[in-house]
DNA sequence: TTGCTCCTCACGTCACGTGAGGTGGC
DNA sequence: TTGCTCCTCACGTCACGTGAGGTGGC
């Protein structure tokens, strides 16, 4: 029996058989006069046994281990471990499918959540298309999505109540403009502290909500700080400083 | 924000971030004076979106595809396809776990089936440890295992009834010895045809059963022929010829 | 000075797939 | 002569992991 026939018998490719020779899973058989591998019955049986284990999900090292005669490691133990691993994989796949199903259940744009789309639209309406901070404010929304449902839910609610109130919205728009103007100032410019003071009661209910979540203790305990670091990525020093000051105010307010 | 912080924010390694740069999933950010990558808010958001899709099970090409703005391929379609693929994987894993569970449910040696172990023992008892054909006969049992349950079931039954009958067993032992003696003869030696004739009613109920399965049409329609090729792997020419003759007899008997 | 982070190659992982270039048997 | 199978390298796949060797900031 030559390699092609062996492979067909067992249902693999000839490359697979050669690979098993290479890694020592299957002994190299004698060669016939023309240099072709000449397989015996025992090789066919061996290959079948190898494939049986591979198809159950063992990797080639484990198969080699399982097929040694010294039984150093119990086959039963191997299978128990394998089953546990497969159970994990199954759970993972189910989780993914669950998340995909809830995505597909929603209509509209799948690339962002419904909440995100709604708040983004509201932001555009409130700020107007030419507002210098609109782009950044919208990017910040992208940081809310990876948070847990409870965390992001509070934040979306915070945005909605804020943007829904004409007076707050107008203040927010103005604060946003002032924040952009910080870009060219020094971090210790008095305008920085003034803005942080003025923003205290208007902007940032989202962050406040996050801080409260932190205090309550469910979700990621450092979500708020991580948000803060992410938001300040690439900001001008004065803007970063302003955010820091706001953060301190909010921390005091929530404690 | 430098690469380490970005990676920690999003929950990946720095190597992963660099890999995404390499394949173009994440744009290379500007460098600060020391050559370090300096990330902006938009990079954080982008990386979060990439990871969300990766963790759902998309490969990096698909992620890139899904995150292009031209929406050339509908995200909904991508998710539907992905779900179908995940459903397949889940079924595969369940199949494996099912097979493992039935293995674990049986006591004793997990490397071979109960039937195999039983028939192998019976073969040893009937042939005796010094019989020249015992090793091969036992190897042949290894070819029965990969067959479907119905096919192998018939064959094990065939073996059991044969080996359980004192008279048949004695004949089989004798035929086995004669078969080994063929090794040094020419394929056209009259002893070959004689043995095939004599074996007709004794050896090979297993193959006969397989041939019947073939005729009935369930299972692999060429299982018997494949068995024959495998069994004759590495045999002496006269032995192969003898098997062929037997096979023809059996085919006639079953038609 | 020490420890930490960053930088750029570049090879390794896992189980094979896929040519590349050549030879033997019908 | 043509088509098929076999042979031996040896690079490619996929998403990074893991050093190797070197540099900047506290």
């Amino acid at each position: 029996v030559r390699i092609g026939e062996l492979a067909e018998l067992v249902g693999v490719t000839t490359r697979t058989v050669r690979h098993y020779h290479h890694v020592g899973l299957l002994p190299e058989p004698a060669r016939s006069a023309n240099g072709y591998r000449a397989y015996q019955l025992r090789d066919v049986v061996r290959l079948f046994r190898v494939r049986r284990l591979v198809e159950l999900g063992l990797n080639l090292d484990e198969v080699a281990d399982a097929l040694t005669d010294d039984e150093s490691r119990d086959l039963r133990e191997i299978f128990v471990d394998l089953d546990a691993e497969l159970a994990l994989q199954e759970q993972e796949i189910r989780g993914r499918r669950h998340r995909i199903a809830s995505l597909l259940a929603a209509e509209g744009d799948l690339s962002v959540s419904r909440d995100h789309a709604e708040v983004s639209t509201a932001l555009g309406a409130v700020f107007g298309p030419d507002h210098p901070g609109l782009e950044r404010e919208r990017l910040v929304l992208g940081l809310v999505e990876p948070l847990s449902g409870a965390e992001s839910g509070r934040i979306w609610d915070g945005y909605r109540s804020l943007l829904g109130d004409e007076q707050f919205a107008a203040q927010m728009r103005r604060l946003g403009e002032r924040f952009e103007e910080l870009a060219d100032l020094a971090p210790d410019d008095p305008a920085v502290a003034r803005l942080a003071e003025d923003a205290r009661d208007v902007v940032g209910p989202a962050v406040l909500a996050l801080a409260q979540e932190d205090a309550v203790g469910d979700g990621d305990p450092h979500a708020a700080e991580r948000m803060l670091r992410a938001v300040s990525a690439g900001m001008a020093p004065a803007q970063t400083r302003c955010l820091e000051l706001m953060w301190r105010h909010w921390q005091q307010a929530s404690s």
Side-chain angles (χ1 to χ4, degrees), chain A residues 20-41:
Chain A
Y20 292 167
H21 289 319
H22 187 68
V23 299
L25 251 186
L26 200 62
E28 279 278 0
R31 304 288 178 125
S32 53
N34 52 20
Y36 290 6
R37 291 176 179 85
Y39 294 95
Q40 310 279 99
L41 172 58

Side-chain angles (χ1 to χ4, degrees), chain A residues 99 111-113 116 139-153 155-156 210 219-220 223 226-227 230:
Chain A
R99 273 170 274 155
S111 68
V112 293
S113 74
H116 182 124
L139 279 174
V140 171
L141 302 185
L143 297 175
V144 179
E145 301 252 41
L147 300 175
S148 78
E151 286 168 333
S152 60
I155 296 180
W156 295 130
L210 251 186
D220 182 347
R226 298 212 343 244
M227 279 275 286

Side-chain angles (χ1 to χ4, degrees), chain A residues 127-179:
Chain A
F127 276 41
D130 300 328
H131 191 285
L134 177 60
E135 202 52 36
R136 165 148 54 209
E137 291 300 325
R138 282 192 161 150
L139 279 174
V140 171
L141 302 185
L143 297 175
V144 179
E145 301 252 41
L147 300 175
S148 78
E151 286 168 333
S152 60
R154 286 219 192 191
I155 296 180
W156 295 130
D157 287 348
Y159 268 112
R160 261 188 291 257
S161 69
L162 192 63
L163 295 174
D165 183 309
E166 237 331 296
Q167 206 168 350
F168 273 147
Q171 282 185 274
M172 199 171 157
R173 187 168 38 213
R174 182 74 197 106
L175 290 168
E177 281 162 14
R178 286 171 62 193
F179 190 79

Side-chain angles (χ1 to χ4, degrees), chain A residues 196-239:
Chain A
E197 191 68 28
D198 293 347
R200 180 192 294 223
D201 301 321
V202 183
V203 191
V207 181
L208 190 56
L210 251 186
Q212 285 172 347
E213 294 284 340
D214 276 15
V216 172
D218 59 339
D220 182 347
H222 299 293
E225 279 170 45
R226 298 212 343 244
M227 279 275 286
L228 194 68
R229 284 197 288 161
V231 171
S232 62
M235 272 187 181
Q239 292 175 322

Side-chain angles (χ1 to χ4, degrees), chain A residues 20 24-27 42-54 56 58-75 78-79:
Chain A
Y20 292 167
L25 251 186
L26 200 62
R42 82 177 74 92
D43 301 307
V44 184
V45 174
R46 172 87 183 182
L47 184 54
F48 267 125
R49 301 188 75 181
V50 167
R51 288 305 298 176
R52 169 177 168 253
L53 297 179
V54 166
L56 282 177
L58 292 181
N59 66 40
L60 299 192
D61 279 345
E62 292 168 328
V63 171
D65 214 33
L67 291 184
T68 52
D69 282 338
D70 65 348
E71 296 287 332
S72 61
R73 197 177 166 209
D74 193 10
L75 251 189
I78 292 179
F79 282 128

